[in-house]
Each structure stands twice: as structure tokens, then as C-alpha cells.
């Protein structure tokens, strides 16, 4: 067994699963306060993803566990160097999850409007944050001789990084809209489909802008494998346009499958563009191919053997629990009892 292939692939799989499953959570949170015309409709939209949203975060926990156990050096460099965006993302996740669960516990209209605002922010902040993190990693980070770096707010204002943030936000928004169009009916479902079409077109334009900006800016110097990353970005644009066409045709299930692929592609682009590195140096031409390699960031072989046995049991159980949950709540929203 080649640990150098298995563990990066597992980390990528868990992150892609998180983007797909939590991505529509964040999209629904951004959409529900606006798509719902009254309190009853807003509750119905939130209840559409109610059985899933906490379970979807398990993929992030699993990815963090793999990062901590199998890539301890990368975990130390990444979390300390990007503490600002990661802190913002985690705060957004906690605030959003709390607001979703507590909104209906208060009967006053003022309190529910406040919770609606927090629900929106709980979806927006992680959506933007993950795009900024992905963009910054693709554009490279300011590594020193010990492969240590620190990213502040100013380092996230690069045009390429900002466009990556806009792209993931639009993709997650469209993903949530496709989910609502698929899982709900009536006027809210129709409004979700229209919102999803608009978001998909915006996401396609933003993704195309990322490709152009990445080619014209200094971000291209950091990419180890520019052509696979470019191909993945082109595939993202095609998938987004396909999803828009499917939503217009009323094929909401297939549209949701398309947006699921779109949500996973940023992780694919990151792996394809940086492999065999985990972190690459930003800077001038000629710096491509310098940084922290995955092989250097991984734990020793003995530790990986123990973790492999553990992962061989836990990962299939996690996947099976997700499949069971989706099967259990396979009916459209409103046909099963909910509590949000």
C-alpha cells in the first residue's frame, strides 16, 4: 500500500464530500431568509435541510482528524498560518448552526428577523471563507525557510483570491437553490429554481474570471501543474452551465447532481494544481515547485499503518450513516415531521 497516495486521496475525498454536503447547507442558509415570503415558508425551507445539516459537518471533522493524524506538519503550518480565515469560518459555522436551531424557539417577529440575519451570515461567511482559503493556497503563501507562514486580512485581497471567494459563494448559493428546488414544491421551489439559474450563471462568469485572472496575475507562478488546474476550472464552468440548463428544464434532481459536482471541483483543482506539494511559495517567476511537499508533511509509516486500520473501519461507517440518513428522509420536505 502506498501511503503517499492513499492518505492525500482520502483527505481530498473528505474535503470534497464536505464541500458537496455542507455546501448546500450554506446555500440554503443564505437563501431561506429571502426566498421565504412569510414565516411559514421560511420554516419550510429550513426544514428541507433540517435532517441533514448537522450530519454534513461530520465530513469536516473527519477531514480535520486526517489532517491532524496523517499530516501533522501540514496541520501545524496551515492552522497557524491561516488562523484568521479559519477562525472566521468556524465562528460562521457555529453561529449558523445555533441560529437555525434556535430560530423557531422564539415567537416574536423581531427575534426571528434577528435569527434570520444570523442564519444568512452563518451561510455566507463559510462560503466566502473557503473560497478565500482555496484561492490563497492556489496562489501560494509566503513561506520562509522553515515552511512557516502567516496570512492576514490584507493577504486575502489579491484579485485572484477574491474571485475564488466569489466563485465558491455563488456555487454554494446555486447548490442550495438546486437542493431547495428538488426537495420542496410549490411557489418556494419555483423561486428557488429561478434563483439557482441566476446563481449558476454568476458562478460560471466568476469561474471564468478566475481562470483569466489566474493566467494573467502572479498566481500562475505558484501552480506546480497549471494545465490540470486550468482543465478543472474549465470543467467547472461547463458543469455550472449544464446545471443552469437542467434547472430551466425542470430537472431539479439532475441539476442538484450537477451542482454537487461543481461544489467538489475546487478541491480537485487544489489537488491537481499543487501535487505533489501541500503548500507552495508565492512570489516571482521561477518559484513554482518550491514549498512543503506532501511526503514531508506526512506522519511516519508506523503511525499511518495504525491510522489506516482505523480509517478502514470508520470511513465506511460514516458513508453508510449518510446514505441511511438520506434514505430515511428521502421524501420531499413537508412529508416528514421536522422541528426547525
Amino acid at each position: 500500500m502506498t501511503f503517499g497516495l492513499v492518505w492525500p486521496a482520502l483527505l481530498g475525498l473528505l474535503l470534497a464530500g464536505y464541500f458537496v454536503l455542507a455546501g448546500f447547507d450554506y446555500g440554503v442558509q443564505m437563501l431561506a431568509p429571502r426566498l421565504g415570503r412569510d414565516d411559514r415558508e421560511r420554516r419550510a425551507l429550513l426544514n428541507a435541510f433540517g435532517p441533514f445539516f448537522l450530519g454534513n459537518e461530520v465530513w469536516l471533522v473527519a477531514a480535520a482528524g486526517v489532517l491532524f493524524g496523517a499530516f501533522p506538519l501540514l496541520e501545524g503550518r496551515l492552522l497557524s498560518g491561516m488562523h484568521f480565515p479559519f477562525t472566521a469560518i468556524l465562528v460562521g459555522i457555529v453561529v449558523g448552526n445555533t441560529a437555525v436551531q434556535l430560530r423557531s424557539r422564539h415567537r416574536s417577529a423581531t427575534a426571528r428577523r434577528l435569527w434570520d440575519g444570523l442564519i444568512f451570515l452563518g451561510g455566507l461567511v463559510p462560503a466566502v471563507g473557503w473560497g478565500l482559503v482555496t484561492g490563497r493556497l492556489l496562489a501560494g503563501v509566503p513561506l520562509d525557510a522553515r515552511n512557516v507562514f502567516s496570512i492576514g486580512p490584507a493577504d486575502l485581497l489579491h484579485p485572484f483570491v477574491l474571485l475564488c471567494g466569489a466563485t465558491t459563494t455563488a456555487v454554494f448559493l446555486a447548490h442550495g437553490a438546486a437542493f431547495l428546488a428538488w426537495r420542496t414544491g410549490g411557489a418556494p421551489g419555483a423561486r428557488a429554481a429561478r434563483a439557482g439559474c441566476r446563481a449558476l450563471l454568476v458562478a460560471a462568469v466568476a469561474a471564468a474570471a478566475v481562470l483569466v485572472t489566474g493566467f494573467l496575475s502572479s498566481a500562475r507562478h505558484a501552480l506546480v501543474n497549471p494545465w490540470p488546474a486550468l482543465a478543472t476550472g474549465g470543467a467547472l464552468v461547463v458543469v455550472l452551465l449544464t446545471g443552469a440548463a437542467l434547472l430551466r428544464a425542470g430537472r431539479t434532481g439532475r441539476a442538484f447532481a450537477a451542482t454537487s459536482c461543481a461544489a467538489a471541483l475546487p478541491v480537485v483543482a487544489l489537488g491537481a494544481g499543487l501535487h505533489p506539494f501541500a503548500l507552495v511559495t508565492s512570489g516571482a517567476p521561477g518559484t513554482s515547485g518550491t514549498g512543503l511537499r506532501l511526503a514531508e508533511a506526512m506522519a511516519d509509516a508506523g503511525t499511518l499503518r495504525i491510522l489506516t486500520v482505523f480509517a478502514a473501519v470508520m470511513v465506511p461507517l460514516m458513508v453508510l450513516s449518510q446514505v441511511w440518513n438520506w434514505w430515511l428522509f428521502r421524501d420531499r420536505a413537508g412529508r416528514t415531521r421536522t422541528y426547525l
Side-chain angles (χ1 to χ4, degrees), residues 33 39 42 103 106 108-120:
D39 188 70
R42 293 189 190 99
R103 179 189 183 277
H106 296 82
S108 73
T110 301
R112 291 192 171 181
R113 281 195 297 270
L114 174 61
W115 289 121
D116 284 341
L118 293 176
I119 288 171
F120 173 79

Side-chain angles (χ1 to χ4, degrees), residues 56-104:
N56 292 341
E57 306 291 350
V58 172
W59 291 76
L60 178 60
V61 176
V66 168
L67 187 65
F68 179 81
F71 301 92
L73 183 59
L74 175 60
E75 178 264 336
R77 299 293 188 267
L78 196 59
L79 296 187
S80 62
M82 288 193 164
H83 61 275
F84 171 73
F86 282 138
T87 299
I89 289 170
L90 290 177
V91 169
I93 291 172
V94 171
V95 168
N97 287 349
T98 303
V100 166
Q101 295 180 82
L102 294 183
R103 179 189 183 277
S104 296

Side-chain angles (χ1 to χ4, degrees), residues 10-46:
L10 179 59
L11 179 60
L13 174 65
L14 294 173
L15 286 174
Y18 165 68
F19 271 41
V20 170
L21 293 170
F24 74 77
D25 290 351
Y26 304 143
V28 171
Q29 288 175 231
M30 289 186 281
L31 286 166
R34 182 171 179 82
L35 284 184
R37 292 292 188 259
D38 53 33
D39 188 70
R40 181 185 62 81
E41 286 191 353
R42 293 189 190 99
R43 288 196 66 183
L45 293 174
L46 291 176

Side-chain angles (χ1 to χ4, degrees), residues 32-315:
R34 182 171 179 82
L35 284 184
R37 292 292 188 259
D38 53 33
D39 188 70
R40 181 185 62 81
E41 286 191 353
R42 293 189 190 99
R43 288 196 66 183
L45 293 174
L46 291 176
N47 279 315
F49 83 135
F52 312 111
F53 81 106
L54 285 178
N56 292 341
E57 306 291 350
V58 172
W59 291 76
L60 178 60
V61 176
V66 168
L67 187 65
F68 179 81
F71 301 92
L73 183 59
L74 175 60
E75 178 264 336
R77 299 293 188 267
L78 196 59
L79 296 187
S80 62
M82 288 193 164
H83 61 275
F84 171 73
F86 282 138
T87 299
I89 289 170
L90 290 177
V91 169
I93 291 172
V94 171
V95 168
N97 287 349
T98 303
V100 166
Q101 295 180 82
L102 294 183
R103 179 189 183 277
S104 296
R105 303 299 185 266
H106 296 82
R107 297 189 178 276
S108 73
T110 301
R112 291 192 171 181
R113 281 195 297 270
L114 174 61
W115 289 121
D116 284 341
L118 293 176
I119 288 171
F120 173 79
L121 289 176
L124 178 66
V125 172
V128 175
W130 285 119
L132 295 178
V133 168
T134 302
R136 188 66 265 177
L137 291 175
L138 283 170
V141 292
L143 295 171
D144 63 16
R146 297 178 300 138
N147 289 325
V148 176
F149 71 98
S150 181
I151 292 294
D155 298 298
L156 301 175
L157 299 180
H158 189 287
F160 175 80
V161 178
L162 291 174
L163 281 171
C164 286
T167 300
T168 57
T169 303
V171 168
F172 287 172
L173 191 71
H175 194 26
F179 174 80
L180 290 174
W182 175 47
R183 290 279 299 175
T184 63
R191 288 195 294 270
R194 291 193 295 270
C197 286
R198 292 192 294 268
L200 283 164
L201 294 177
V202 171
V205 172
V210 167
L211 295 177
V212 174
T213 306
F215 180 77
L216 297 178
S217 72
S218 60
R220 72 182 186 277
H221 302 310
L223 287 176
V224 182
N225 308 301
W227 290 112
L230 181 65
T232 306
L236 175 60
V237 175
V238 172
V239 169
L240 291 169
L241 294 176
T242 302
L246 289 169
L247 268 184
R248 284 200 195 93
R251 298 180 177 180
T252 55
R254 295 184 181 182
F256 180 66
T259 58
S260 297
C261 292
L265 282 174
V267 179
V268 177
L270 189 61
L274 299 187
H275 187 80
F277 288 84
L279 298 172
V280 292
T281 303
S282 59
T287 59
S288 176
T290 59
L292 178 65
R293 290 180 175 269
L294 283 167
E296 299 169 343
M298 294 180 69
D300 61 87
T303 301
L304 292 177
R305 287 192 195 95
I306 296 172
L307 291 175
T308 299
V309 174
F310 184 74
V313 175
M314 296 307 299
V315 173

